[in-house]
Amino acid sequence: MLNKIGGFLYPRVFVNIIFNNTGLSVYVEKFKKSLSVESIEKKFSVTAIDSEIIDYIESFTKDTPYFYISILDYSTYQGAIPTCNGTEMQMFYDRSSSKELCYGEKWAFYTSKFDLDDIQREYRDLGLDFIFSPIVVLAKFFKDKIDNNFSMYILIQDSFITLSIFDHGQLLFAKHIDVEHSEKNELSLADEHVEEVRLDDDEDTSIDLEDVDIDDALDDLDGFGDIEDLDSIEEIDEFSDVNEDDNEEFELGGEREFSSVSEESFNEDYQRFLNIQEIVKRYYEDERYERKFVESVYIADSIGLNEDLKSYLEEEMFLNVYIRKIQIGEIMSELVQEELK
């Protein structure tokens, strides 16, 4: 009862920290009586917590006891797998050095225990309430699509790419990479812990589409949490479907307007394309996964992508590409509210 009364007397403040290799951003959302009354994002050029960031956050939290601080997991060694079975999990990553959670008892996401300890140590002066996996953020953002389609889903950040493939709510495959520190043949440290499917040097490295269930794919086309107990993430709210008349949320083909881009941006988009291409190639080659031919990709754009990445994916990989802008901090706030219910 006291908590409910306090919730009316004091605002609730959600502080969300998103890290990249060149800095971090802090997204703050304030609620009064369950209504969002203020949201603001500030970018910092430092990659470690300092007094300026702490002072900034405390300027929002000092007047209320109801504040929650979250961070998006930026560990290199993290991912998701298409099972919650303990025996099967060991096929995909080293469970002895990882922490995993099941998502709706359908699939699991994991991260390094050592990286979790490092994150909590680095932010101990500030205090963290939640650490969220970017794959969970992606799953929430595209929930209605994931539940009703077979497609690939990608979260694009300045320094990271999170890619997943879902078939009507069931995860088939996922990878999370640090773009600046990844190499073509080392897309995930998780692969060092399991026997990987590799091709001999003299073997044809092209994708054998006979191994891909194209018929199923065409049929389908028709139609981390609390740090203390790390409760599993439950099913979460949907956003509206995309239809032929809705071209503002999602952009297909040449319908989106783009400004002129620099050579640096061009190169960045091409590198993102190469990373995505290599990840998908691994999906098709790896017998540990249920391989189905992907024709559509939904991209959550947190950085303001240029037209080039769309073009590469469409012209080189023959994908139908849909893009929707994402405010990661806002999605994290929604995840926190789900956890608090």
Side-chain angles (χ1 to χ4, degrees):
M1 175 65 75
L2 290 177
N3 285 336
K4 291 183 179 180
I5 295 175
F8 286 101
L9 296 177
Y10 296 97
R12 292 187 303 161
V13 175
F14 300 92
V15 178
N16 306 287
I17 303 169
I18 301 99
F19 171 94
N20 63 66
N21 289 323
T22 59
L24 57 82
S25 63
V26 178
Y27 178 88
V28 180
E29 193 164 10
K30 182 183 291 186
F31 285 79
K32 289 184 177 179
K33 298 180 179 179
S34 301
L35 298 176
S36 177
V37 296
E38 181 181 12
S39 62
I40 186 171
E41 182 177 25
K42 184 174 181 178
K43 298 182 183 295
F44 297 85
S45 59
V46 296
T47 58
I49 199 77
D50 62 10
S51 59
E52 180 185 1
I53 296 174
I54 293 177
D55 289 345
Y56 176 74
I57 292 174
E58 288 182 346
S59 69
F60 294 96
T61 63
K62 64 183 180 180
D63 295 326
T64 178
Y66 297 98
F67 63 88
Y68 310 90
I69 300 176
S70 308
I71 191 168
L72 190 66
D73 187 5
Y74 53 85
S75 308
T76 300
Y77 178 53
Q78 65 169 298
I81 55 174
T83 182
C84 279
N85 181 285
T87 302
E88 295 175 351
M89 285 179 176
Q90 195 63 41
M91 295 170 53
F92 296 92
Y93 66 99
D94 181 9
R95 295 188 69 196
S96 66
S97 62
S98 306
K99 175 71 177 181
E100 73 268 347
L101 286 173
C102 285
Y103 186 103
E105 300 304 319
K106 293 182 178 181
W107 51 275
F109 56 98
Y110 64 87
T111 193
S112 165
K113 292 179 180 178
F114 309 108
D115 288 344
L116 277 179
D117 289 342
D118 286 343
I119 291 173
Q120 293 183 67
R121 236 186 334 264
E122 181 176 351
Y123 289 85
R124 64 182 180 272
D125 292 337
L126 184 61
L128 288 176
D129 298 293
F130 301 92
I131 299 176
F132 289 114
S133 164
I135 296 175
V136 170
V137 169
L138 189 59
K140 174 171 177 56
F141 188 64
F142 284 126
K143 184 179 186 301
D144 66 330
K145 298 293 169 281
I146 286 172
D147 285 349
N148 300 296
N149 294 278
F150 166 70
S151 294
M152 179 164 62
Y153 304 87
I154 303 176
L155 173 62
I156 301 290
Q157 299 176 253
D158 278 324
S159 303
F160 306 100
I161 293 175
T162 305
L163 183 151
S164 62
I165 299 173
F166 282 89
D167 184 4
H168 290 77
Q170 176 59 53
L171 177 76
L172 302 186
F173 174 85
K175 282 290 184 206
H176 172 82
I177 65 168
D178 182 332
V179 176
E180 294 186 14
H181 296 95
S182 67
E183 296 179 4
K184 185 176 181 181
N185 294 319
E186 296 180 347
L187 287 173
S188 173
L189 294 180
D191 293 332
E192 298 177 1
H193 300 282
V194 296
E195 183 179 355
E196 188 173 353
V197 177
R198 299 182 183 275
L199 299 175
D200 296 333
D201 293 338
D202 58 350
E203 189 176 348
D204 183 5
T205 58
S206 61
I207 298 169
D208 186 357
L209 291 181
E210 292 182 359
D211 293 336
V212 180
D213 193 342
I214 297 178
D215 291 335
D216 286 349
L218 294 176
D219 290 339
D220 292 337
L221 287 172
D222 289 336
F224 231 103
D226 191 335
I227 291 176
E228 293 185 358
D229 53 22
L230 288 170
D231 293 333
S232 59
I233 306 294
E234 301 296 334
E235 294 291 339
I236 42 190
D237 295 338
E238 304 178 358
F239 63 85
S240 60
D241 288 339
V242 176
N243 53 56
E244 294 179 358
D245 298 324
D246 188 2
N247 292 322
E248 294 183 359
E249 281 196 314
F250 285 92
E251 306 293 346
L252 174 62
E255 294 170 354
R256 189 181 186 187
E257 295 184 0
F258 295 89
S259 59
S260 60
V261 297
S262 65
E263 183 177 351
E264 180 180 0
S265 297
F266 174 86
N267 291 334
E268 288 176 348
D269 277 350
Y270 187 65
Q271 186 59 53
R272 291 186 182 104
F273 161 71
L274 291 178
N275 282 316
I276 292 169
Q277 185 181 54
E278 180 65 17
I279 296 172
V280 174
K281 179 174 179 288
R282 288 197 172 200
Y283 163 66
Y284 286 138
E285 293 175 349
D286 197 329
E287 294 179 351
R288 294 174 298 174
Y289 300 98
E290 180 185 347
R291 295 166 293 174
K292 300 178 69 174
F293 186 68
V294 177
E295 290 194 352
S296 297
V297 54
Y298 291 86
I299 296 177
D301 173 19
S302 71
I303 61 174
L305 288 169
N306 300 304
E307 188 176 10
D308 299 300
L309 179 60
K310 284 173 57 67
S311 298
Y312 295 141
L313 295 171
E314 291 169 343
E315 296 170 9
E316 300 297 329
M317 297 182 67
F318 309 106
L319 292 167
N320 298 315
V321 183
Y322 304 84
I323 297 180
R324 183 178 189 263
K325 287 191 173 293
I326 182 175
Q327 170 52 267
I328 296 177
E330 182 178 342
I331 302 302
M332 291 171 67
S333 287
E334 294 177 15
L335 286 169
V336 173
Q337 292 178 72
E338 291 291 332
E339 286 290 299
L340 295 176
K341 287 182 179 179

